[in-house]
Amino acid sequence: MIVLEYILLIGVIVCAVAAPLCKRLLASVIVYMALSLLMAVLWSLLQSPDLAITEAAVGAGVTSILFFLTLKKIRELKGTDDE
Amino acid sequence: MSKDRERARFTRRLTAWVDGEREPKDQTLFVMEQHPPRHVRQSEEEFQRREEDRLRKFFNWYPIAAAVICAVLVAILLTTVMSMPGFGEEDNPINNEVSDRYLEYGAEDTGSENVVTAMIIGYRGFDTLGESCVLFLAVAAVMILLLRDRKNTSELEVRQIERDEAEAMSHEDLILKQVAWVLIPFIFLFAIYVLLNGETSPGGGFSGGTILGAGLILFSAAFGFRRMQVLMNRRRYSAVRTFGLLLYGVLYGLYIFIGANGLPNYLTGMILLIDLAVGLVVACTMYGFYALFSRGEI
Amino acid sequence: MLSDILQNRYAVTAVILFGVGFTNLMLQQNLLRKVIGFNIMDSAIFLLLASLGYIDGGVAPIVGDRGFDPLYINPIPSGLVLTGIVVSVSITAFSLALIQRIYRRYGTIEMRELLERAKKEDD
C-alpha cells in the first residue's frame, strides 16, 4: 500500500511540473485532468470517499469541460504551432 | 424657499451622478484644488519612448523578482513542514475533543451516520449556507460576463453559432449519441442514489449534485441544445436554482429553531431534505456554467 | 532528514505542488496557464488539509452500528475540503469567463501583448 502511495505522490508532482510545460494548451489541460484523477485516488487512500467522489466528478469532469470550452472559444483547439 | 430649491437641485444632481449621466468633475459635489501642472509636458515621442522603456524594464525585472519570491516562499514552507507533527499519528493536536464529540454524538444529534455529512449539514450548516450563496453568485457573475443578448452579439457570432448547430444536426455524432443513450440513465440513477444516501454512505449534496450536473452536461452535449430546452429552459432553470437556495435557508432556519428550543422534531429526515436542497443548487451551478460557456444562454 | 521527509510525505508533496503552482501563477505569460497553476495551488492546499486529518489505521467516518470501536479518521478536514473543492470550481469558471471576455476585447491572452495593446488603447 505504501508503495502505491509513493507512486501516486510522485505522479502528482510529475503531472504538476509537466502540465504548464506542455507546448500546446490542450495538452496542458489534459495533464491537469490526469492530476485530478490521481488526486481522486489519493483521497480514497486517505479514507475520505466523499472527497474522492466529488473530486472525480469535479476535477476530471466539469473543470476540464470548462477549460475545453474556453479553448474552443479562443480558437486554440486546432493544433497550431505558433503558441 | 431658496434652501429648498437648493436641496432639490442637489438631489437632482446626485441622482444624475449616480445614474452616470454626468460627471461631477467641476461641479460643487466635491471640490478639488487645482494645481497648475508642475512639469512642462514633454513631447509626444519622449513620452512614448519613456513608457516603452518602463514596460521593457518591468518585463526584464519581473521574472527575476518572481523567481526569488517563489524560491524564498518554498524554502520557508519546507522548513515549516519539517517541524510539523508526524503524519497519521493519533495524538496529533488536530485530533482534539471537537472531532471526538462529532464522532461520538454525531449520529444521535443529527440522525446521520456519515459524520462528514452530519458536520457539513448539521453542525456547520451556516458554512454551507454561505457556500451555496457563493455558488449562486458565481453563476450570476458568469452570466453577467457571458450571457448573450441583442446588444452585445454581432451578426457574425450569431451566424457562426447557427452554422455550428446546422453542422451538428446534419451529421450527428453517432458514437457520442449511442454511448450517452446507454450511460445517461445510469448516471442519473447513481446521482440520485448518492444524493439520497448521503446519511448512510459516502456522498451527499455536493457529490450527488456534481454528478447530476455532469449528467445534465452529457445530455446537453449529446442530444443538442434544442432537446435540452424541453427539459430545462431559462425560466425553469432560475426557478429551480432560487428554489434550492430558499429551501436550504428555510429548512436550516427551521432546523436551528427546533434544535435550539428543544421542540419535538417530527421531520426525522430533515438532513436528507437539506442535502437535497444543496444538491439542487450544486447541480444547477454545474449545468449553468456549461450552458453559459458553450452557447452563452441557458 | 530523509526519514523526516518520508514521515511527512504528504505535507512535503503539498509544499512542492504549492511552489510549482505559485511559480506558474507568477511566471507564465499565458493567462490560461496561470489559471492551471492556480488550480494546482488549490489541490496542494486540499492535500495538506486532508492529510492532517488522517490517522494510521483509521477508517472512513461512517459510524453506522459499529459504535465507537474502530479508529475513525478526523471528519473535520474532510468536510472543509469538500466545500473547498466545489468553491474552487466556481472560481475557475469565473476566471475562465473573464479570460473569454479579455480575448473578445483584445484578441490575445498572452500577458505581454495584452499589456502593450491595453496601453496603446489608453493613449
Side-chain angles (χ1 to χ4, degrees):
Chain A
M1 204 52 122
I2 198 146
V3 178
L4 180 62
E5 225 169 72
Y6 284 129
I7 292 173
L8 283 172
L9 287 176
I10 291 170
V12 164
I13 293 177
V14 168
C15 280
V17 173
L21 291 182
C22 291
K23 219 169 175 201
R24 288 178 55 192
L25 281 174
L26 181 64
S28 292
V29 175
I30 289 174
V31 175
Y32 173 70
M33 210 169 147
L35 189 147
S36 282
L37 276 179
L38 290 180
M39 291 294 276
V41 183
L42 267 179
W43 297 138
S44 62
L45 276 188
L46 284 174
Q47 294 289 337
S48 349
D50 306 79
L51 294 185
I53 297 173
T54 316
E55 175 84 31
V58 161
V62 178
T63 310
S64 314
I65 288 174
L66 294 184
F67 270 112
F68 289 144
L69 287 174
T70 311
L71 283 179
K72 189 184 162 201
K73 280 279 156 65
I74 62 178
R75 298 179 184 83
E76 295 269 4
L77 215 49
K78 307 254 163 45
T80 49
D81 292 332
D82 55 3
E83 70 95 13
Chain B
M1 182 64 207
S2 73
K3 215 170 198 177
D4 274 358
R5 201 185 298 153
E6 192 74 18
R7 191 173 299 155
R9 264 182 58 202
F10 178 76
T11 324
R12 208 172 55 236
R13 271 214 308 271
L14 188 68
T15 37
W17 178 57
V18 170
D19 290 345
E21 287 167 10
R22 185 162 59 117
E23 289 184 18
K25 215 162 195 177
D26 44 14
Q27 303 292 330
T28 48
L29 209 59
F30 62 87
V31 180
M32 281 171 62
E33 287 180 44
Q34 290 193 337
H35 286 293
R38 207 171 285 162
H39 303 290
V40 200
R41 193 177 161 76
Q42 66 267 76
S43 67
E44 201 61 32
E45 292 145 32
E46 179 83 1
F47 184 72
Q48 196 104 15
R49 204 179 54 78
R50 193 162 290 185
E51 278 295 308
E52 265 170 26
D53 213 39
R54 236 178 53 195
L55 206 62
R56 201 169 52 239
K57 209 176 271 176
F58 173 73
F59 278 125
N60 283 341
W61 280 104
Y62 176 78
I64 300 170
V68 168
I69 289 175
C70 292
V72 169
L73 185 78
V74 170
I76 292 173
L77 286 177
L78 269 180
T79 46
T80 315
V81 157
M82 282 307 149
S83 57
M84 254 172 46
F87 166 72
E89 283 163 19
E90 203 185 335
D91 47 357
N92 278 349
I94 193 170
N95 302 319
N96 52 11
E97 63 274 7
V98 180
S99 62
D100 282 350
R101 155 93 207 183
Y102 285 174
L103 283 170
E104 212 161 341
Y105 297 104
E108 275 176 49
D109 282 350
T110 61
S112 155
E113 290 171 5
N114 185 354
V115 183
V116 176
T117 306
M119 197 201 108
I120 52 179
I121 303 289
Y123 290 114
R124 305 199 167 188
F126 259 132
D127 190 9
T128 315
L129 178 64
E131 205 211 335
S132 309
C133 290
V134 167
L135 294 179
F136 192 86
L137 288 179
V139 175
V142 174
M143 244 181 215
I144 290 171
L145 286 171
L146 292 183
L147 200 63
R148 284 191 300 113
D149 57 11
R150 234 172 286 124
K151 271 185 196 166
N152 64 2
T153 316
S154 62
E155 281 287 313
L156 202 72
E157 279 174 296
V158 174
R159 246 179 288 144
Q160 174 78 29
I161 287 167
E162 273 170 6
R163 209 181 318 138
D164 282 356
E165 203 160 300
E167 196 176 347
M169 276 292 184
S170 61
H171 40 99
E172 296 174 330
D173 215 333
L174 197 65
I175 296 174
L176 178 65
K177 229 169 199 182
Q178 291 295 326
V179 171
W181 190 246
V182 177
L183 273 184
I184 280 177
F186 290 105
I187 291 180
F188 279 135
L189 199 67
F190 183 59
I192 291 167
Y193 170 77
V194 169
L195 205 57
L196 293 184
N197 280 292
E199 300 179 19
T200 52
S201 64
F206 289 112
S207 336
T210 42
I211 297 171
L212 196 62
L216 284 175
I217 290 174
L218 180 59
F219 187 89
S220 176
F223 298 114
F225 190 72
R226 288 278 157 69
R227 293 209 188 91
M228 193 66 206
Q229 208 85 68
V230 179
L231 191 68
M232 189 172 264
N233 54 19
R234 188 154 162 196
R235 286 188 58 180
R236 211 173 291 167
Y237 174 77
S238 27
V240 169
R241 200 160 64 100
T242 320
F243 173 74
L245 193 60
L246 282 180
L247 184 70
Y248 183 85
V250 169
L251 280 177
Y252 191 65
L254 210 63
Y255 188 72
I256 289 181
F257 184 74
I258 289 172
N261 292 311
L263 294 174
N265 187 0
Y266 296 115
L267 266 172
T268 42
M270 198 71 146
I271 290 284
L272 182 72
L273 286 178
I274 299 177
D275 233 358
L276 216 59
V278 176
L280 276 185
V281 174
V282 175
C284 280
T285 309
M286 296 301 158
Y287 173 66
F289 284 154
Y290 171 76
L292 286 169
F293 270 67
S294 65
R295 283 188 51 99
E297 59 189 330
I298 290 174
Chain C
M1 186 67 188
L2 190 67
S3 67
D4 272 356
I5 290 179
L6 290 187
Q7 174 62 29
N8 277 330
R9 50 194 180 274
Y10 280 91
V12 171
T13 312
V15 167
I16 294 172
L17 281 190
F18 190 87
V20 170
F22 193 65
T23 315
N24 280 312
L25 187 65
M26 299 285 265
L27 286 178
Q28 288 284 355
Q29 290 293 315
N30 194 311
L31 289 182
L32 214 72
R33 283 170 209 251
K34 276 182 195 274
V35 177
I36 291 179
F38 194 78
N39 271 323
I40 292 173
M41 278 165 76
D42 273 353
S43 301
I45 305 248
F46 298 152
L47 189 61
L48 180 68
L49 270 180
S51 75
L52 281 180
Y54 182 73
I55 297 172
D56 269 334
V59 296
I62 298 166
V63 177
D65 47 4
R66 283 181 292 183
F68 206 53
D69 188 28
L71 192 62
Y72 295 113
I73 66 156
N74 195 338
I76 298 174
S78 298
L80 296 183
V81 173
L82 190 56
T83 49
I85 286 177
V86 180
V87 167
S88 87
V89 180
S90 48
I91 300 278
T92 310
F94 182 62
S95 39
L96 288 178
L98 277 177
I99 288 176
Q100 286 190 19
R101 286 303 293 260
I102 286 173
Y103 184 81
R104 222 184 282 169
R105 177 86 160 72
Y106 293 107
T108 178
I109 57 167
E110 296 287 328
M111 201 66 201
R112 198 165 189 150
E113 293 171 34
L114 196 64
L115 278 182
E116 275 161 9
R117 283 184 203 187
K119 191 143 271 185
K120 212 168 278 174
E121 265 183 35
D122 267 357
D123 295 344

